[in-house]
Structure formats: structure tokens, C-alpha cells
Amino acid sequence: MFGGSKEDRRGEARKPANRRALVLASASEIVCRITDESRSGLRLRLDRRTELPKRVVVVDLQDALALEVEVRWVRGQEAGGRTVGQTGLRGLVPQRLAAARDASARAGGP
């Protein structure tokens, strides 16, 4: 009757996005796009199928942000997760995000 998937019944509105990003997972960097987002989470389109750990850092290249994300699902080349932290990558960053700052610089981020 109502149809739709579990994702369609979120409490927060999602807004479309199309921003270049990188997923930092273990010792790898995966090129992706942020395809939609809400205040508490985001959806990614990965450039290839891959397994992701439960927690990753997503580097938003346009806004120079490191988003700490709990991965909730992966289907093919798409993944979604809950944002649990956000840090700007301009200037000094905590040591745990130094790799995110370096990846942003290599990718031509601001």
C-alpha cells in the first residue's frame, strides 16, 4: 500500500548532492561522490565495489571537510552511513585526521 523502502521513511529530510569525495578505509583511498545527505548521514557512490569497515573517514573535497562516518550499509557501488563527526581540513587538524588532510591536498582540494 505505502511501498517504498526503509530509506524512504527517514525522520530527516535528505537533500541531493553531487560532490567529489574520497573514502579513507584502512590503508586505501576510494574515489566517490556524495550523492545525498541529511544532518545525520550521507549516501555515497563509490568508483568500484569494495568492502568497507564499520567506520571510515569521508573527505569532502569541495568543502574541505573530514566526515567520520559509521557505515550502515553497502550495496554494489553505493554505501550509506551516519555522520558521527566533522572536522575542517584547513589549517591544523587532529593527528587522527592527518591522512584525510593529506589526501585532500593530493586530490587538489582547497
Side-chain angles (χ1 to χ4, degrees):
M1 179 171 165
F2 294 103
S5 69
K6 182 178 176 182
E7 294 175 296
D8 294 331
R9 296 181 298 216
R10 294 184 186 271
E12 292 183 12
R14 291 183 289 165
K15 58 183 177 182
N18 188 21
R19 295 196 311 277
R20 289 182 29 213
L22 296 170
V23 174
L24 305 183
S26 304
S28 63
E29 294 179 13
I30 303 156
V31 176
C32 69
R33 286 210 165 288
I34 299 171
T35 59
D36 75 33
E37 60 192 334
S38 68
R39 287 188 322 182
S40 64
L42 49 79
R43 179 186 299 217
L44 304 170
R45 173 78 176 161
L46 307 169
D47 77 336
R48 65 181 184 270
R49 290 175 179 248
T50 187
E51 294 289 322
L52 293 176
K54 293 194 182 296
R55 196 162 177 139
V56 298
V57 174
V58 176
V59 179
D60 181 335
L61 297 170
Q62 177 180 315
D63 295 336
L65 293 172
L67 306 167
E68 296 174 83
V69 174
E70 287 180 355
V71 176
R72 298 296 181 125
W73 57 269
V74 177
R75 280 186 227 112
Q77 289 181 252
E78 289 193 314
R82 183 171 75 90
T83 305
V84 295
Q86 177 176 302
T87 304
L89 294 175
R90 294 182 175 99
L92 297 175
V93 298
Q95 180 62 35
R96 74 180 191 286
L97 297 174
R101 182 197 56 220
D102 297 344
S104 176
R106 281 193 305 278

